[in-house]
Amino acid sequence: VVEATYGAGGKPPPKHYHPGQDEHFEVLEGSIRVRVDGDERELGGGETIDIPRNVVHQMWNPGDVPARVSWETRPAGRTAEWFRALDRAVRERPPGKDVPPLPVLAALLSEYRDVIRPAGPDVVLRPALGLLGKISRTRSDG
């Protein structure tokens, strides 16, 4: 269980799902937008949503004020490790960039495939992420 703050003026993250985990969210302050399996709605203070494993979703805060959310992942699995690795990649991103380079993200998504997967056909995404991840590892080794 973590408490997260969604900054104001956010944009939807990439569509994704969790293959072995369910999520439960409760909005503590402010409001957030949620898109689950293509259905979009706003959640305000005190409202909750449960997102079962393997269900494609996005969550963000397009509003003018930050939103505070309680977020539970069941079972926890390697979720904390995933977020630590993602945080490290964000902190090490090139100057002037909002996100880490695509090969770095691909390597993380390949490594934490048990925790999070981008939405889309796995037959296409898995080899593409693997190739991009190899590029990232090759660059960091050399």
Side-chain angles (χ1 to χ4, degrees):
V1 177
V2 298
E3 189 174 294
T5 299
Y6 286 71
K11 297 188 181 346
K15 294 177 182 176
H16 65 279
Y17 65 96
H18 308 281
Q21 299 162 303
D22 304 309
E23 293 180 299
H24 173 80
F25 295 88
E26 179 180 358
V27 179
L28 304 173
E29 292 177 2
S31 64
I32 57 172
R33 294 292 301 171
V34 180
R35 189 177 296 139
V36 179
D37 253 354
D39 294 327
E40 189 173 314
R41 68 183 175 130
E42 185 168 321
L43 295 177
E47 292 186 286
T48 65
I49 188 167
D50 290 296
I51 302 174
R53 63 193 70 200
N54 293 314
V55 173
V56 174
H57 61 281
Q58 297 165 283
M59 193 169 297
W60 71 102
N61 176 12
D64 296 332
V65 296
R68 201 166 52 91
V69 177
S70 173
W71 176 4
E72 182 178 355
T73 304
R74 299 174 295 232
R78 297 189 321 139
T79 301
E81 292 172 42
W82 153 252
F83 279 112
R84 279 193 289 275
L86 182 60
D87 180 64
R88 188 170 41 257
V90 167
R91 290 175 191 271
E92 295 171 356
R93 71 186 181 268
K97 298 291 183 182
D98 291 337
V99 295
L102 184 57
V104 172
L105 290 174
L108 287 175
L109 287 169
S110 291
E111 183 177 345
Y112 290 95
R113 178 173 166 71
D114 58 312
V115 176
I116 186 169
R117 295 185 191 171
D122 199 49
V123 69
V124 174
L125 288 173
R126 189 170 188 181
L129 290 173
L131 178 60
L132 286 169
K134 285 180 186 176
I135 291 169
S136 174
R137 287 186 291 279
T138 300
R139 285 182 182 167
S140 65
D141 292 343

